[in-house]
Amino acid sequence: FFLICFRHFLMFFQFLLVAYILFCLILNLYRFVFVFQVVHLVLLLVFLNFLEKHYHLQLLIFLRILFLDFQFLILKNNIHTNIKLVTMKKVIDYCIYQNVEVQEGCDVARVKDDNLLWGLISLPSCKVVLPCKYQSMSKFNDGLSIVSIEGKYGCINKQGVEIVPLQYDAIRDLVHERAVVSLNRKSGLIDTAGNIVVDYKYEDISWLDLKCDLVVVQSEGKWGALDMNGKEILPCIYDYISPTDRLRWKDSSGIYLRIELNGKMGLFDINGKQLTPIEFDKVEVAYGYIIAKKEGTCAMFDMDMNMILPFLYSSIVPFPEKQIIYVRHGESEGCIDFTGKKILPGSYSSVWWKD
């Protein structure tokens, strides 16, 4: 009963807090907002620590998550493992930062001061690792964060050491221990030690897929592909290169390169092996099968380009686990097995099933 009453009291108190903050903002009294929030948090922490000490209730975790969602509470995203590390002193100390960003599994937090500059503090000690001096600071990936000062970009590690000097016009896509860098309107690749892997000679570089270690590169308006070490997989002779749509098909069969040339499409694997001729209007891989479209009709092939269904249907979706191929012809829908035998005649306006 006592906990329920206190919970309702806190909800009413927070309603008053919101009204007070709106009043202060209207009058531009920003400092009074922080003062009131600190008082509120200190009182709340005293009560929660009292309950934790005397009652050892698991409800405390719920109360902390419900009520301690404040921007300058550094441990809000890791509340389960560090529930006892928040103290009144730390709550007051955190208010010197305008923003605190905690990243899961990271032992440092990114902080932004009133001058809109970013730095690092350690967790859970909250000691300053790096004074606030960068104008931007990204999340850590592969142990590095991308930082910038006056339009020049570099990378730092979690100790605040500058690994990649601030000399690039842009740094992006820090994955697979590689980063795409731009300098003087040319793009290249560097590793996490700052070494050049691919020289700055391409007009554009981007990852084919974040789960794949290939990059597509553009040179003189044409596209090609490289592996993460700079080895050429496909020369820069194609109009465009994109990955097959794994998310659409929820397909785990792999990533393939969809090539466009002179208005037609074809498929290559990630090793540069050509799987289909570049002659289709559209081509896709669905559950380990190739669906090709030409002149408004679709056909289905296996990965060795053996035809399973001819160019006859307006839509084809294979479901290997059910040994069924959904087909649509004009306004009619039906199902065919993998031998080409009709299971449901194509005379239905709609076909679906439930697992």
Side-chain angles (χ1 to χ4, degrees):
F1 174 77
F2 178 68
L3 289 174
I4 294 174
C5 290
F6 181 72
R7 181 178 173 185
H8 285 293
F9 167 75
L10 284 179
M11 293 175 68
F12 177 71
F13 189 82
Q14 288 182 327
F15 172 77
L16 293 179
L17 174 62
V18 171
Y20 178 82
I21 290 174
L22 290 175
F23 174 76
C24 290
L25 291 177
I26 292 173
L27 297 180
N28 293 322
L29 300 175
Y30 297 103
R31 294 184 180 276
F32 289 97
V33 174
F34 275 107
V35 171
F36 198 71
Q37 284 182 331
V38 171
V39 172
H40 173 220
L41 287 173
V42 169
L43 291 175
L44 184 57
L45 285 173
V46 169
F47 181 77
L48 290 178
N49 287 329
F50 170 78
L51 289 180
E52 193 173 86
K53 181 178 179 180
H54 291 86
Y55 294 95
H56 304 286
L57 296 177
Q58 300 211 346
L59 182 61
L60 291 176
I61 294 178
F62 169 75
L63 287 172
R64 286 179 183 271
I65 294 174
L66 183 64
F67 295 112
L68 300 189
D69 189 21
F70 285 85
Q71 201 169 6
F72 46 77
L73 266 180
I74 224 164
L75 300 176
K76 68 175 183 178
N77 290 338
N78 204 13
I79 204 75
H80 292 288
T81 56
N82 292 295
I83 194 169
K84 295 179 181 295
L85 295 176
V86 179
T87 66
M88 288 182 289
K89 180 179 182 301
K90 287 179 182 175
V91 169
I92 297 172
D93 289 343
Y94 293 155
C95 295
I96 66 174
Y97 299 115
Q98 186 181 106
N99 194 14
V100 175
E101 296 289 343
V102 178
Q103 189 173 338
E104 185 176 356
C106 190
D107 57 359
V108 294
R110 295 171 291 127
V111 293
K112 182 168 68 173
D113 64 11
D114 290 334
N115 296 319
L116 305 182
L117 298 178
W118 290 86
L120 294 174
I121 61 174
S122 63
L123 294 176
S125 65
C126 303
K127 294 180 179 179
V128 175
V129 175
L130 177 68
C132 296
K133 66 176 184 177
Y134 293 107
Q135 293 173 339
S136 69
M137 182 180 292
S138 72
K139 290 184 177 181
F140 280 93
N141 201 4
D142 285 337
L144 296 181
S145 171
I146 301 170
V147 295
S148 71
I149 295 178
E150 296 181 353
K152 291 297 181 180
Y153 290 80
C155 294
I156 61 171
N157 61 17
K158 295 179 182 179
Q159 290 73 45
V161 178
E162 204 169 277
I163 303 299
V164 179
L166 278 74
Q167 63 183 21
Y168 297 105
D169 299 329
I171 300 180
R172 56 184 173 86
D173 300 340
L174 185 57
V175 292
H176 303 303
E177 298 185 349
R178 300 288 187 269
V180 178
V181 295
S182 297
L183 185 65
N184 300 325
R185 297 187 179 182
K186 294 293 183 179
S187 297
L189 276 183
I190 61 171
D191 61 18
T192 51
N195 302 313
I196 297 174
V197 178
V198 175
D199 204 3
Y200 326 116
K201 62 180 182 180
Y202 294 103
E203 297 157 17
D204 193 14
I205 295 181
S206 60
W207 290 100
L208 177 70
D209 188 284
L210 293 182
K211 293 186 177 180
C212 175
D213 59 0
L214 289 188
V215 293
V216 290
V217 295
Q218 185 182 37
S219 177
E220 298 180 357
K222 295 293 186 177
W223 290 86
L226 310 174
D227 69 12
M228 60 188 295
N229 296 314
K231 178 184 176 183
E232 184 180 90
I233 303 298
L234 292 176
C236 292
I237 59 174
Y238 301 103
D239 296 335
Y240 196 65
I241 300 175
S242 61
T244 50
D245 194 351
R246 293 183 305 113
L247 294 179
R248 176 188 174 192
W249 300 104
K250 298 180 181 178
D251 192 358
S252 60
S253 60
I255 301 170
Y256 299 91
L257 289 76
R258 185 166 40 207
I259 304 298
E260 298 181 30
L261 182 64
N262 301 325
K264 297 298 182 179
M265 291 186 181
L267 282 181
F268 286 70
D269 66 15
I270 59 174
N271 297 312
K273 178 184 176 182
Q274 186 169 355
L275 301 177
T276 74
I278 307 175
E279 62 181 25
F280 303 113
D281 299 330
K282 189 175 182 181
V283 65
E284 189 61 81
V285 176
Y287 304 109
Y289 293 89
I290 297 172
I291 310 297
K293 189 172 187 179
K294 184 192 292 185
E295 297 178 355
T297 60
C298 295
M300 189 173 98
F301 304 84
D302 63 19
M303 296 308 295
D304 294 321
M305 280 303 289
N306 298 309
M307 182 177 284
I308 298 174
L309 294 179
F311 285 97
L312 181 64
Y313 305 96
S314 57
S315 180
I316 298 174
V317 181
F319 294 94
E321 73 281 2
K322 301 179 184 296
Q323 290 297 303
I324 289 175
I325 306 171
Y326 160 85
V327 294
R328 184 178 181 86
H329 182 58
E331 298 298 323
S332 301
E333 299 180 7
C335 291
I336 300 175
D337 67 16
F338 280 78
T339 66
K341 179 182 178 181
K342 290 184 178 180
I343 299 174
L344 287 176
S347 58
Y348 297 97
S349 60
S350 182
V351 173
W352 72 96
W353 59 81
K354 295 182 178 180
D355 290 327

